[in-house]
């Protein structure tokens, strides 16, 4: 029983690595004390699992802010839409390249969560978003998924991450502009953006360790680190405006209850 568990762990941790001559289940299990490469690989996979687990909570603070304020003020709908494609591109690229799930799983989780945030945008956005808009957006996502999984040729997989460069700049740029226009961060969550920044920073290192110097992938995470850092700076810059906005929302809700 114990041997089965140990062998299963070894296969998960050390099989199909970039350097099978120094890291493999057989090599690492034969050592009384695992070598540094063996330990580093386990650590990298463990961090990957932690990031994936954390991704399940990534959008929760944002969702709670929206539900509490019953508003999506300060949140760019263009940024949210673009994030759906960003996360899907990163997840599909790694999935189609057969990269370890621990190196990309959080992107799949975040893609699903961002779709959920899109639904909240549809409900709370002012002015109201029409049904035709919703139908076109839904159809676009479905056609995109069909194209990537059924039509896109392997030699063009790299385009998924190449496209993510302008998408990332556009998405974060839209959010930066929205913060600047509102002079507050509205219902956007500081915790969510902090998790994005920390997660992308760690992903740069774990990707290099598990996948290697995949330039499109590593560069994509690097760009995300920079732009999420810029958003965090804006949280600090507009903290007073956000405090005023939060107070106005609270007073409006209190007045509504009195009526």
């Amino acid at each position: 029983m114990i041997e089965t568990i140990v062998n299963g762990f070894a296969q998960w941790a050390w099989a199909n690595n970039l350097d099978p001559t120094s890291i493999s289940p057989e090599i690492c299990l034969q050592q009384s004390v695992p070598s540094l490469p063996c330990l580093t690989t386990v650590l990298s996979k463990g961090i990957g699992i932690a990031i994936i687990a954390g991704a399940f909570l990534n959008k929760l603070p944002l969702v709670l802010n929206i539900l509490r304020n019953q508003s999506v003020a300060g949140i760019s709908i263009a940024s949210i839409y673009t994030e759906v494609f960003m996360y899907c591109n990163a997840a599909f690229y790694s999935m189609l390249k057969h990269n370890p799930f621990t190196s990309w799983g959080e992107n799949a989780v975040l893609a699903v969560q961002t779709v959920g945030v899109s639904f909240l945008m549809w409900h709370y956005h002012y002015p109201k978003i029409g049904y035709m808009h919703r139908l076109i957006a839904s159809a676009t996502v479905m056609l995109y998924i069909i194209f990537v999984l059924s039509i896109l040729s392997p030699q063009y997989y790299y385009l998924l991450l190449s496209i993510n460069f302008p998408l990332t700049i556009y998405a974060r740029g839209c959010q930066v502009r929205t913060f600047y226009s509102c002079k507050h961060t509205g219902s956007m969550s500081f915790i969510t953006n902090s998790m994005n920044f920390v997660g992308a920073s760690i992903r740069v290192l774990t990707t290099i360790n598990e996948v290697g110097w995949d330039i499109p992938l590593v560069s994509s995470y690097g760009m995300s680190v920079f732009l999420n850092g810029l958003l965090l700076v804006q949280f600090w810059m507009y903290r007073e405006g956000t405090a005023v906005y939060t107070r106005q929302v609270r007073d409006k809700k209190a007045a509504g209850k009195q009526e």
Side-chain angles (χ1 to χ4, degrees), residues 44-74:
S44 179
K45 287 184 178 292
I47 292 173
I49 292 175
I51 291 175
I52 294 170
F56 281 95
L57 302 176
N58 181 272
K59 298 295 183 182
L60 181 60
L62 174 59
V63 170
L64 292 177
N65 281 356
I66 293 173
L67 294 177
R68 181 173 56 250
N69 297 335
Q70 297 185 6
S71 167
V72 291

Side-chain angles (χ1 to χ4, degrees), residues 53-68 109-110 113-114 116-117 120 187-193 195-196:
F56 281 95
L57 302 176
N58 181 272
K59 298 295 183 182
L60 181 60
L62 174 59
V63 170
L64 292 177
N65 281 356
I66 293 173
L67 294 177
R68 181 173 56 250
V109 174
L110 290 172
Q113 290 183 348
T114 308
V117 173
L120 289 176
S187 297
M188 183 58 76
S189 169
F190 174 80
I191 296 175
T192 294
N193 280 273
M195 291 177 69
N196 289 338

Side-chain angles (χ1 to χ4, degrees), residues 80-114:
I80 296 298
Y81 282 169
T82 308
E83 279 190 16
V84 172
F85 290 102
M86 283 167 44
Y87 293 131
C88 284
N89 281 347
F92 284 145
Y93 173 84
S94 291
M95 183 179 71
L96 293 171
K97 296 278 285 186
H98 303 291
N99 290 336
F101 182 73
T102 51
S103 71
W104 60 270
E106 79 280 0
N107 286 302
V109 174
L110 290 172
V112 174
Q113 290 183 348
T114 308

